[in-house]
């Protein structure tokens, strides 16, 4: 499933992580960074559900994905549509 964490709902940016451990690692490494909004996919196959969860809520995004994520042709297509969505 997915997790949408929005400690700063006025912020129109979201950081997107492939998995929860990736998210926790980011928080550990960036302890002093200001809180942002986060979408944790918990699996690369959750992209469509994740996109629906953030649709119309954010204007900018940062992707924090594992390198194998981009090696899958199907996921490359979905990432392309995710990027197009934010820049329409």
């Amino acid at each position: 499933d997915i997790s949408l964490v929005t400690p700063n709902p006025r912020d129109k940016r979201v950081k997107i992580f492939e998995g929860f451990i990736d998210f926790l690692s980011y928080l550990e490494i960036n302890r002093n960074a200001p809180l942002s909004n986060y979408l944790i996919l918990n699996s690369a196959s959750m992209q469509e559900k994740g996109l629906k969860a953030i649709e119309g809520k954010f204007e900018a995004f940062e992707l924090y994905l594992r390198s194998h994520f981009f090696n899958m042709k199907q996921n490359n297509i979905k990432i392309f549509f995710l990027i197009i969505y934010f820049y329409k």
Side-chain angles (χ1 to χ4, degrees):
D1 208 14
I2 64 165
S3 301
L4 181 59
V5 182
T6 55
N8 191 359
R10 290 185 180 169
D11 188 359
K12 294 297 181 185
R13 296 169 293 171
V14 62
K15 296 179 186 332
I16 302 172
F17 296 87
E18 182 180 348
F20 200 74
I21 297 298
D22 304 317
F23 169 63
L24 293 177
S25 297
Y26 171 85
L27 291 180
E28 179 66 23
I29 293 167
N30 298 284
R31 286 183 185 192
N32 297 323
L35 288 177
S36 185
N37 298 307
Y38 309 98
L39 173 66
I40 302 100
L41 299 175
N42 296 315
S43 168
S45 64
M46 292 288 149
Q47 290 177 65
E48 289 179 38
K49 191 171 184 179
L51 181 57
K52 289 177 185 175
I54 61 174
E55 189 171 4
K57 296 179 184 173
F58 303 101
E59 296 172 359
F61 67 98
E62 295 176 23
L63 295 173
Y64 294 86
L65 306 172
R66 297 181 209 133
S67 61
H68 74 84
F69 192 86
F70 293 102
N71 293 330
M72 297 187 274
K73 185 176 180 181
Q74 180 181 4
N75 288 331
N76 283 338
I77 293 168
K78 290 179 183 178
I79 286 294
F80 174 77
F81 285 113
L82 179 67
I83 292 168
I84 293 301
Y85 166 79
F86 277 100
Y87 288 99
K88 65 181 176 178

